[in-house]
Amino acid sequence: LNLIVSRDLDLAHDDLVPYGTAPFVATPGFTPLPEPDWTTYSAPFTASLPLTASDFILLQAPENTLRDSDGLLGLIGRAGAGDDIAVMQMDEPYTWTAGVGPVGLNPRVQALLAAARRGAAVRLLLDSYYDDGGNSQSCLVVNDIAVSEGLSLTCRLADVTGLGIHAKIWALRVAGERWVNLGSVNGSENSNKNNREVSLQFRSAAAYERVLAVFDHDWVLGHGPFIYHAYLPLALHGYLPPVDYPLFSELFINPAGDDTGHEWVEIYNPGPTVSIAGWRVGDAINVGDYGDGRYAFPAGAQLLHGQVIVVAACATTFSAEYGFNPNYEWTSCDPAVPDLTPVAAWDGFGMALGNASDEMLLQDGGGALVDSVAWGGLPRAGVLPYPLEGGDSFPWDASLKRYPPDVDSDDCSRDFYISYNPSPGQVAGH
């Protein structure tokens, strides 16, 4: 090594000049690049490894790294059935000189292919960070050959630390011997034929095991060629975004025993605060429908963002059953609870929820439909009704709950489910 350095420093070389003189003098006005923003990496192998080794072989490019009678290519040439080769490289193109046939192929890769054909298990891990296409091509070609010929040969790409694979590592188990080749020699033609490069090849079981452990750690983080992280929009079948207007969130339809005074509906506002003074609720689609009516919220009524309100038939009955007052009632049972007032054309009709089939509408002050719910029977009120099998009545003491509470598909079989645990004032999933 000292001899190599001495000869490379020989002033007889016309490209050797003192630092700071032509042709390397900085251009006037030249501004150096800023320091890079280094990526942090938690090193898993921090302890040094004292070891002994034997059979040292010093290889230097461009003089002798491609000798196939000994050195690295010679060692690969000995590998066969039962042997293992693990390679980690920054640059290992499959082709060195295009258009000249087999003589233009990378002899290192060809040596690995030959070893795999003799039965050796070969793994090749190449850098993806600085890859200009050569490493990707190597993996594509090598993996295709391995599959077509049934070889134990796999090539992966990796960027383990975030700034590429700079290592030039070979771990070879050949005929029971464990060898390591470490140095600066890349798999490019330039590295082997033009550059001054050096690698040290030696036999050491301890060094082999450490290098193989590093390789195995990085191998797991690798991937095949043309497999990249792609961050795409998430598309869900039938997905509906949350709405921003008030919705019916729960309806108590069929109380056990006499329904009178026991029914109630719940309204949830997932959107911004809105004044609901003059808004209407009711089970009437057409004027004169039997047992149907519409009722308006009083002046000053509003729904805050995220607020849940309960509108009950009778506040005193509701309070006795649930332990708190509803926000509104429609039959004037309790003077302390604000009443909804009948809308003119429906005055005197009342409102009662049909057990086998009915609907509830929420309209704004101008009569425009904001939300609607139906159960049993045919489509109506702008929605598909929640189905009741065979025309049966809605189950006793159960409620119809919306889930999620802020989704409205106009299909009640999708938007609602039957709950046997009515919970007025508590929106499901909210």
Side-chain angles (χ1 to χ4, degrees):
L1 287 174
N2 188 54
L3 179 61
I4 292 172
V5 172
S6 297
R7 293 195 175 185
D8 286 351
L9 284 174
D10 190 337
L11 292 178
H13 298 162
D14 59 10
D15 65 344
L16 193 67
V17 296
Y19 178 77
T21 61
F24 302 107
V25 175
T27 303
F30 171 74
T31 302
L33 291 174
E35 287 294 320
D37 182 12
W38 298 109
T39 300
T40 58
Y41 170 67
S42 299
F45 303 93
T46 56
S48 60
L49 179 67
L51 56 87
T52 57
S54 61
D55 301 294
F56 289 94
I57 300 171
L58 182 65
L59 301 168
Q60 75 270 354
E63 289 84 5
N64 59 29
T65 56
L66 296 179
R67 286 168 55 105
D68 57 8
S69 58
D70 52 19
L72 179 60
L73 294 182
L75 183 57
I76 299 172
R78 291 170 46 199
D83 295 334
D84 296 283
I85 301 175
V87 187
M88 187 186 301
Q89 287 289 311
M90 182 177 181
D91 188 17
E92 196 72 54
Y94 186 82
T95 302
W96 277 3
T97 304
V100 296
V103 297
L105 301 180
N106 181 347
R108 294 157 44 117
V109 176
Q110 296 307 304
L112 291 173
L113 283 167
R117 290 175 175 132
R118 293 191 299 269
V122 178
R123 291 182 293 167
L124 185 58
L125 185 62
L126 306 180
D127 170 65
S128 64
Y129 185 80
Y130 294 103
D131 180 31
D132 61 0
N135 287 345
S136 296
Q137 183 205 30
S138 288
C139 279
L140 286 170
V141 175
V142 165
N143 289 340
D144 184 62
I145 293 173
V147 171
S148 63
E149 298 183 22
L151 306 178
S152 179
L153 172 62
T154 306
C155 180
R156 292 184 182 178
L157 302 174
D159 176 18
V160 180
T161 66
L163 287 172
I165 292 177
H166 290 261
K168 294 86 179 175
I169 294 175
W170 296 73
L172 308 96
R173 183 171 60 83
V174 178
E177 301 173 349
R178 289 167 171 76
W179 290 81
V180 171
N181 185 298
L182 304 173
S184 66
V185 186
N186 264 314
S188 67
E189 186 171 21
N190 190 61
S191 180
N192 284 271
K193 293 183 179 180
N194 294 327
N195 289 357
R196 164 63 72 223
E197 310 277 5
V198 174
S199 70
L200 186 64
Q201 184 169 300
F202 57 95
R203 188 154 61 97
S204 167
Y208 171 87
E209 295 299 337
R210 166 59 71 86
V211 168
L212 190 62
V214 174
F215 178 90
D216 287 338
H217 172 272
D218 293 353
W219 178 258
V220 173
L221 302 176
H223 56 77
F226 299 145
I227 298 177
Y228 304 99
H229 294 294
Y231 299 96
L232 302 176
L234 176 64
L236 301 177
H237 176 68
Y239 170 75
L240 291 173
V243 302
D244 61 355
Y245 52 83
L247 296 169
F248 288 114
S249 50
E250 187 171 5
L251 300 92
F252 192 53
I253 297 169
N254 189 10
D258 185 3
D259 291 4
T260 304
H262 294 270
E263 296 169 339
W264 50 265
V265 298
E266 179 186 84
I267 300 173
Y268 166 59
N269 181 23
T273 297
V274 59
S275 170
I276 58 172
W279 283 34
R280 308 161 188 177
V281 294
D283 60 344
I285 296 178
N286 303 306
V287 176
D289 286 349
Y290 176 76
D292 290 352
R294 285 188 191 167
Y295 290 81
F297 286 91
Q302 64 175 356
L303 264 174
L304 304 178
H305 167 68
Q307 185 180 9
V308 181
I309 63 171
V310 177
V311 182
C314 176
T316 53
T317 303
F318 180 91
S319 177
E321 294 175 348
Y322 297 101
F324 63 95
N325 278 332
N327 300 88
Y328 301 94
E329 61 177 359
W330 69 76
T331 58
S332 302
C333 291
D334 186 345
V337 176
D339 291 334
L340 273 59
T341 56
V343 177
W346 284 269
D347 191 4
F349 282 86
M351 183 167 66
L353 307 184
N355 297 333
S357 176
D358 209 343
E359 57 281 334
M360 278 294 294
L361 284 68
L362 176 64
Q363 299 174 315
D364 66 17
L369 186 64
V370 177
D371 187 35
S372 57
V373 184
W375 55 97
L378 299 175
R380 60 195 182 279
V383 296
L384 297 174
Y386 189 92
L388 299 177
E389 296 183 6
D392 291 342
S393 294
F394 199 87
W396 281 347
D397 278 342
S399 65
L400 199 58
K401 283 186 180 181
R402 184 186 294 269
Y403 186 83
D406 54 0
V407 172
D408 184 16
S409 70
D410 293 331
D411 180 352
C412 296
S413 66
R414 174 179 173 180
D415 295 340
F416 290 85
Y417 70 98
I418 293 177
S419 170
Y420 291 91
N421 181 32
S423 55
Q426 303 177 34
V427 174
H430 175 61

